[in-house]
Amino acid sequence: MASTAAVPFWRAAGMTYITYSNICANLVRNCLKEPFKAEALNREKVHFSLSKWAGGKPEKPTLRSDTPGV
Amino acid sequence: MLRQASRLLSRSVTAASSKSVTARAFSTELPSTVDSTFVESWKKVAPNMDPPQTPSSFMKPRPSTASSIPTKLTVNFVLPYASELSGKEVDMVIIPATTGQMGVLPGHVPTIAELKPGIMSVHEGTDIKKYFVSSGFAFLHANSVADIIAVEAVPLENIDASQVQKGLAEFTQKLASASTDLEKAEAQIGVEVHSAMNAALSG
């Protein structure tokens, strides 16, 4: 049974549902009124450091942070 | 151990073919009897080990469906950072499904609905509470429980109309000038979300 269900346009463009959902949520957050907007952006702050390992040693880490310099 | 494998495999194939005629029941009734012939053959082969568990033994039985339709719908509305409504009994919710606004009453047929950006309204007596939902899913169960999950849901008063207009203009322009498929998709998502917010604020 070939599935000919129409795929949503974002899936056809190679995007996953979770990416789509996060984009939608970000757009809504950016359109909030002032105290709520600050709270929402505060809540969604991200801070992580990622390093790939090669040959038993970590390589240079990439830092993704909304508070740089920490 | 491998000598027994072919015997066990052939036994399980014949057992499966004889059982294939009986349709597997929906998991409202779980088989309470373990397959005794299997357990006996297992104990002969490996007497010191417990027989393996099957996925159905880990499943809890589904909550039973009441024989008469309940008068109220129980809504659980959750966001990643907060539980907006938890076990609230309401008369009706209207959810923005991708197939259109869907009204959910107690006794609704079990459904899984993907939500599009839009307004979700919770009706309790004369009280109507509206939220703008960014996207998510709604699971409607047979026992009149609705689980609605969204990434972001805000009361309509918290949305800034001027920012919505600005965003709509910006993304319409991006859509016109987009080149790659991905850019087009992102711009289109922007247009959809902002138009939905616009419609929500004005409608």
Side-chain angles (χ1 to χ4, degrees), chain B residues 110-176:
Chain B
T111 311
I112 299 181
E114 183 192 336
L115 304 179
K116 65 178 179 210
I119 303 183
M120 186 186 92
S121 46
V122 179
H123 299 242
E124 167 64 23
T126 46
D127 247 355
I128 305 182
K129 204 137 168 243
K130 292 193 181 172
Y131 303 89
F132 184 84
V133 164
S134 69
S135 63
F137 284 92
F139 300 87
L140 312 172
H141 302 286
N143 54 354
S144 293
V145 170
D147 294 321
I148 306 174
I149 58 173
V151 179
E152 200 56 67
V154 295
L156 295 179
E157 307 85 56
N158 297 7
I159 304 181
D160 190 345
S162 56
Q163 301 229 11
V164 174
Q165 300 291 7
K166 233 179 29 172
L168 184 54
E170 181 193 332
F171 279 97
T172 325
Q173 199 260 329
K174 272 195 195 161
L175 185 56

Side-chain angles (χ1 to χ4, degrees), chain B residues 18-163:
Chain B
S18 69
K19 279 202 195 129
S20 61
V21 184
T22 59
R24 175 122 186 127
F26 285 123
S27 45
T28 41
E29 307 102 31
L30 287 180
S32 50
T33 53
V34 184
D35 185 352
S36 48
T37 48
F38 175 73
V39 172
E40 281 162 24
S41 344
W42 178 271
K43 290 213 186 308
K44 283 191 210 128
V45 175
N48 294 328
M49 283 170 64
D50 282 330
Q53 305 239 23
T54 53
S56 39
S57 65
F58 289 104
M59 277 180 68
K60 295 194 203 108
R62 286 221 159 281
S64 55
T65 314
S67 46
S68 65
I69 299 178
T71 46
K72 294 280 210 185
L73 183 68
T74 314
V75 175
N76 299 315
F77 179 31
V78 289
L79 304 170
Y81 52 86
S83 171
E84 194 61 47
L85 298 171
S86 170
K88 184 145 194 269
E89 304 233 327
V90 299
D91 297 319
M92 171 171 80
V93 293
I94 303 187
I95 55 176
T98 43
T99 49
Q101 298 283 114
M102 186 192 284
V104 182
L105 293 163
H108 197 281
V109 62
T111 311
I112 299 181
E114 183 192 336
L115 304 179
K116 65 178 179 210
I119 303 183
M120 186 186 92
S121 46
V122 179
H123 299 242
E124 167 64 23
T126 46
D127 247 355
I128 305 182
K129 204 137 168 243
K130 292 193 181 172
Y131 303 89
F132 184 84
V133 164
S134 69
S135 63
F137 284 92
F139 300 87
L140 312 172
H141 302 286
N143 54 354
S144 293
V145 170
D147 294 321
I148 306 174
I149 58 173
V151 179
E152 200 56 67
V154 295
L156 295 179
E157 307 85 56
N158 297 7
I159 304 181
D160 190 345
S162 56
Q163 301 229 11

Side-chain angles (χ1 to χ4, degrees), chain A residues 8-10 12-15 17 19-25 27-34 36-37 40 43-44, chain B residues 81 114 117 132 134-137 151-152 154 157-160 163 171 181-182 185-186 188-190 192-194 197:
Chain A
F9 64 89
W10 40 267
M15 203 186 282
Y17 179 80
T19 317
Y20 163 71
S21 190
N22 283 336
I23 292 179
C24 288
L27 294 172
V28 172
R29 270 180 226 125
N30 281 331
C31 289
L32 293 178
K33 286 187 183 150
E34 224 350 280
F36 307 106
K37 186 168 179 180
R43 182 174 58 221
E44 300 296 324
Chain B
Y81 52 86
E114 183 192 336
F132 184 84
S134 69
S135 63
F137 284 92
V151 179
E152 200 56 67
V154 295
E157 307 85 56
N158 297 7
I159 304 181
D160 190 345
Q163 301 229 11
F171 279 97
D181 260 348
L182 193 56
E186 285 177 4
Q188 181 140 8
I189 296 174
E192 270 184 25
V193 175
H194 284 98
M197 278 196 276

Side-chain angles (χ1 to χ4, degrees), chain A residues 9-68:
Chain A
F9 64 89
W10 40 267
R11 172 100 39 204
M15 203 186 282
T16 61
Y17 179 80
I18 191 79
T19 317
Y20 163 71
S21 190
N22 283 336
I23 292 179
C24 288
N26 272 321
L27 294 172
V28 172
R29 270 180 226 125
N30 281 331
C31 289
L32 293 178
K33 286 187 183 150
E34 224 350 280
F36 307 106
K37 186 168 179 180
E39 277 170 17
L41 294 183
N42 213 331
R43 182 174 58 221
E44 300 296 324
K45 278 204 172 131
V46 170
H47 177 91
F48 66 82
S49 155
L50 176 80
S51 31
K52 295 201 188 209
W53 286 62
K57 286 197 181 20
E59 296 175 349
K60 182 148 195 335
T62 44
L63 183 68
R64 157 98 191 271
S65 173
D66 287 321
T67 52

